[in-house]
Amino acid sequence: MAVNGARGAAAETTTEAGPEAGPETTTEAGSDGARPDPWWKSAVVYQIYPRSFADSDGDGVGDLPGMERRLDYLAGLGVDVLWLSPVYPSPHDDNGYDISDYQGIDPVFGTLEDFDRLLAAVHTRGMRLVMDLVVNHTSDEHPWFTESRSGPDTPKRDWYWWRPAREGREPGTPGAEPNNWASFFSGPAWEYDPASEAYYLHLFSRKQPDLNWENPEVRQAVYAMMRWWLDRGVDGFRMDVINLISKDPALPDGAVRDGSPYGDGSPHYTCGPRIHDYLQEMHREVFAGRTGEPLLTVGEMPGVTVGQARLFTDPARAEVDMVFQFEHVGLDHGADKFDVRPLRLTDLKASLGRWQTGLDGTGWNSLYWNNHDQPRVVSRFGDDSGPYRVRSATLLATVLHLHRGTPYIYQGEELGMTNAPFSSVDDFRDIESLRYFAEAVAGGADPERVLAGLRAMGRDNARTPMQWDASRHAGFTTGEPWLAVNPNHTTINAAASVADPASVYHHYRRLISLRHDEPAVAHGDFTMLLPDDERVYAFTRRHARVELLVLGNFTGEDVRVDLPYGESWAGAELLLGNAPEAAGPLRTPVALGPWEARVHRRTVPAPRQEES
Ligand code: TEU
């Protein structure tokens, strides 16, 4: 596979993966033979949550030098891109998603020199580095906000959303907020500032005031900051809640749901009136005309629909390369995300299948089960209880990575890391969980029930430290970790996984290589099979004369399935599977063991149009 030429120095590493670890350059001709395919279509991204990845100085919080020491592990896995959750100076009210200086590094993570060294070391290994861009809001300790808050006449007043109390209400009292929107982290989306007798908007915590993107100075300041990072050599951005930056400036009340003191403001700030203008302007001001390697941009977009995503990711519109959508990670939510419902496999297939079809030809999907906001997928959609942990983690990986789109791996997912055994609310650190618990219990909910929801869905499940080895604190830190290490690190850890060819880690390695080597994985079209089957996930991918068949048993039992046109698949070679005892060509009807996944390949005699 081609190593990133423009980085030049993409030297061979000493890891097992060696030169394979580098990203592909743009291919000669696209899969349709016309426009060149961008490199990120055959790339795999790995997300690092810096606080919890590797601590080099014993303060219990991960840092940049710690990351640098683990780069060979990541190169060995074969990933092409690293995305870092925020490492900028921050009061850490929301673990760095509250930024007080966009052009620096928080001392807890290191220095700008550490960053430059890390970036060079990433590039030397043929990988790329993508930064988190959090510009829907800043920290309330950002100098922009400090100035804005200093009085109604300051030039930066209009950089944020300041509004007077609701007419006829006593400012600062409940119900006097300028509108009825709720914060994502419980409570109202407004904070009263007694000094200037006005409220400011914060869709997240009160320490995360929303920037007013209507103001052109705000936009230019953000674009300048982005150019500064690109000039430093970073390879793109993951854009935090970027579809929330355009609000209806009238900030109208949302429709009130039964029994809730809040209205649903989301129609007034999700993919708001000027969102496409802003993203196109950002593209012109920041990305267009840059020479050198093409970049990667991915917009995190809660509430985005397939139709909107098609617009956002249409290359002709020059907005973003791909989006993170939330539909599939909401299928097990009840009244809210902590009210957990069992997942129906048919719902998952219908949802992911609709996104596959919806973005076919024009847009591009990003594929993920996990990130720093989601519980661990093996605990959520698999079986983390023991005998089937490895099987179900590898099944989930296979099904996801064989879809059309760019897969994202969240740190520890490649080890089959599980949710954490939180015993009391004191074990949690996440602002979302803590605020939710306090509000629910104050409202009369049974604390044990609330805790059960947090255990299943809380974001801290993803944030427990990376499990490097079986030693104390899992080799993450020599000090006291900021969030307790999962006790199962004695058996689930990187050292054990790298040493075991049958591990989840090596399965991820094989999936990543397959994407690099088999064009049908990146470029093939997608056809869902068996949409009504509650046990088996099945689909095909086809590119030129190669067709892949992907089968996954989402249950802990043996199943037998009749495939449409099953006999035509008989004898197809097994490219990859997670059940060595079932190796060999495909036999129909297909028998799948518990949590078994298989990828078969066949060559079809002629292009599709001549077939029918
Ligand atoms: O998350 C935005 C988001 O929509 C949610 O996933 C959110 O984290 C929460 O779980 C809603 O229930 C992004 C970041 O990924 C998240 O870590 C930040 O807390 C948030 O934005 C604010 O910056």
Side-chain angles (χ1 to χ4, degrees):
M1 176 197 140
V3 171
N4 178 352
R7 294 285 171 211
E12 286 194 15
T13 63
T14 50
T15 60
E16 218 186 320
E20 281 189 7
E24 255 176 61
T25 47
T26 304
T27 48
E28 289 291 300
S31 47
D32 58 358
R35 201 203 300 249
D37 273 319
W39 60 270
W40 38 255
K41 287 198 172 176
S42 38
V44 177
V45 184
Y46 186 95
Q47 182 192 353
I48 294 180
Y49 195 64
R51 289 185 83 75
S52 304
F53 191 63
D55 175 23
S56 72
D57 59 7
D59 67 355
V61 178
D63 49 43
L64 299 177
M67 240 178 255
E68 195 183 337
R69 289 182 202 167
R70 298 293 184 176
L71 287 183
D72 284 337
Y73 166 83
L74 298 171
L77 182 59
V79 293
D80 305 284
V81 182
L82 307 180
W83 146 33
L84 302 193
S85 278
V87 288
Y88 316 97
S90 164
H92 294 280
D93 189 50
D94 186 18
N95 289 0
Y97 283 89
D98 47 321
I99 298 170
S100 52
D101 173 5
Y102 285 119
Q103 291 172 217
I105 298 294
D106 194 292
V108 81
F109 297 128
T111 61
L112 262 177
E113 290 68 47
D114 292 331
F115 178 83
D116 289 340
R117 222 182 32 248
L118 174 74
L119 182 59
V122 169
H123 287 159
T124 300
R125 285 164 180 78
M127 296 185 285
R128 291 177 163 100
L129 190 79
V130 161
M131 300 296 275
D132 219 305
L133 179 80
V134 187
V135 290
N136 173 68
H137 44 268
T138 66
S139 162
D140 66 338
E141 296 180 35
H142 193 293
W144 295 347
F145 187 75
T146 327
E147 190 184 328
S148 181
R149 183 177 222 166
S150 68
D153 300 325
T154 159
K156 288 212 168 51
R157 186 64 166 185
D158 184 49
W159 282 39
Y160 295 83
W161 296 95
W162 290 97
R163 290 289 185 275
R166 195 180 279 272
E167 234 177 81
R169 297 296 184 102
E170 176 61 26
T173 62
E177 294 81 14
N179 72 21
N180 65 5
W181 300 358
S183 147
F184 281 84
F185 294 155
S186 307
W190 294 94
E191 180 73 7
Y192 184 58
D193 180 52
S196 57
E197 297 180 349
Y199 288 82
Y200 64 86
L201 175 70
H202 60 88
L203 291 181
F204 293 89
S205 106
R206 61 182 178 79
K207 288 185 67 62
Q208 293 167 300
D210 282 54
L211 279 165
N212 174 14
W213 274 69
E214 292 284 319
N215 184 324
E217 289 174 17
V218 168
R219 305 205 297 273
Q220 289 305 327
V222 168
Y223 305 151
M225 171 274 279
M226 293 172 75
R227 289 191 292 262
W228 185 86
W229 282 104
L230 292 179
D231 292 344
R232 224 171 175 94
V234 309
D235 302 293
F237 297 99
R238 173 269 187 189
M239 304 175 183
D240 193 67
V241 291
I242 201 71
N243 66 327
L244 309 189
I245 59 176
S246 169
K247 282 100 179 161
D248 175 346
L251 306 177
D253 276 336
V256 178
R257 282 162 290 194
D258 278 351
S260 169
Y262 304 110
D264 177 13
S266 64
H268 309 298
Y269 58 71
T270 303
C271 300
R274 299 180 67 190
I275 183 64
H276 294 289
D277 295 345
Y278 294 160
L279 289 178
Q280 286 171 10
E281 180 184 76
M282 176 190 283
H283 195 277
R284 281 195 307 277
E285 297 275 331
V286 179
F287 303 118
R290 284 196 85 85
T291 51
E293 278 297 285
L295 305 165
L296 183 153
T297 57
V298 49
E300 188 210 27
M301 300 199 177
V304 70
T305 65
V306 187
Q308 290 161 341
R310 200 177 162 89
L311 297 176
F312 286 121
T313 65
D314 176 355
R317 296 171 57 90
E319 297 184 20
V320 292
D321 295 328
M322 56 192 105
V323 307
F324 289 131
Q325 56 97 3
F326 282 69
E327 205 177 276
H328 66 301
V329 290
L331 296 172
D332 57 351
H333 294 180
D336 62 41
K337 73 182 253 188
F338 296 108
D339 173 25
V340 196
R341 303 285 160 89
L343 173 78
R344 284 170 59 111
L345 187 65
T346 45
D347 290 345
L348 183 66
K349 290 193 279 192
S351 170
L352 291 178
R354 194 166 53 247
W355 280 83
Q356 291 286 298
T357 317
L359 297 192
D360 187 26
T362 303
W364 191 250
N365 273 289
S366 51
L367 308 169
Y368 75 95
W369 293 133
N370 270 122
N371 58 40
H372 62 292
D373 297 330
Q374 301 292 332
R376 293 282 180 182
V377 71
V378 69
S379 305
R380 184 182 193 178
F381 297 155
D383 179 352
D384 67 1
S385 64
Y388 292 140
R389 184 185 63 86
V390 171
R391 229 8 106 74
S392 60
T394 49
L395 160 114
L396 287 159
T398 309
V399 167
L400 188 79
H401 281 239
L402 266 293
H403 277 75
R404 183 179 163 92
T406 300
Y408 287 71
I409 301 171
Y410 176 70
Q411 67 184 43
E413 180 183 339
E414 80 282 14
L415 307 176
M417 274 177 64
T418 67
N419 280 355
F422 298 114
S423 54
S424 92
V425 69
D426 301 332
D427 295 340
F428 290 86
R429 297 287 173 274
D430 176 26
I431 180 168
E432 181 187 44
S433 292
L434 295 173
R435 298 276 321 251
Y436 181 87
F437 184 84
E439 187 169 89
V441 171
D446 168 20
E448 271 315 308
R449 277 191 66 145
V450 182
L451 208 50
L454 300 191
R455 261 188 217 113
M457 300 303 277
R459 305 194 299 181
D460 281 336
N461 283 302
R463 300 174 180 188
T464 61
M466 179 74 175
Q467 295 168 202
W468 292 106
D469 58 40
S471 70
R472 190 160 180 270
H473 301 321
F476 163 70
T477 182
T478 53
E480 276 307 305
W482 72 276
L483 178 66
V485 168
N486 193 318
N488 67 17
H489 73 274
T490 50
T491 51
I492 304 174
N493 62 65
S497 278
V498 171
D500 173 8
S503 66
V504 181
Y505 170 87
H506 284 286
H507 194 84
Y508 271 87
R509 274 199 62 202
R510 287 189 281 273
L511 286 167
I512 297 164
S513 307
L514 188 62
R515 174 164 291 263
H516 292 156
D517 297 340
E518 171 52 73
V521 176
H523 304 297
D525 66 11
F526 179 98
T527 306
M528 186 71 81
L529 307 176
L530 311 176
D532 301 323
D533 192 306
E534 285 295 352
R535 303 163 308 163
V536 176
Y537 204 122
F539 56 93
T540 59
R541 303 290 313 280
R542 174 148 167 186
H543 181 63
R545 293 185 54 197
V546 170
E547 193 164 23
L548 306 178
L549 170 68
V550 182
L551 297 169
N553 175 5
F554 270 68
T555 76
E557 276 127 46
D558 289 317
V559 299
R560 208 173 231 297
V561 275
D562 280 312
L563 289 173
Y565 308 108
E567 61 296 344
S568 65
W569 281 95
E573 65 166 315
L574 181 71
L575 263 188
L576 190 140
N578 67 353
E581 68 278 10
L586 192 79
R587 274 189 263 160
T588 54
V590 188
L592 296 168
W595 300 104
E596 184 179 347
R598 311 172 68 115
V599 183
H600 287 273
R601 179 185 195 272
R602 67 172 180 169
T603 309
V604 289
R608 173 154 296 187
Q609 54 268 37
E610 292 163 37
E611 210 176 37
S612 51

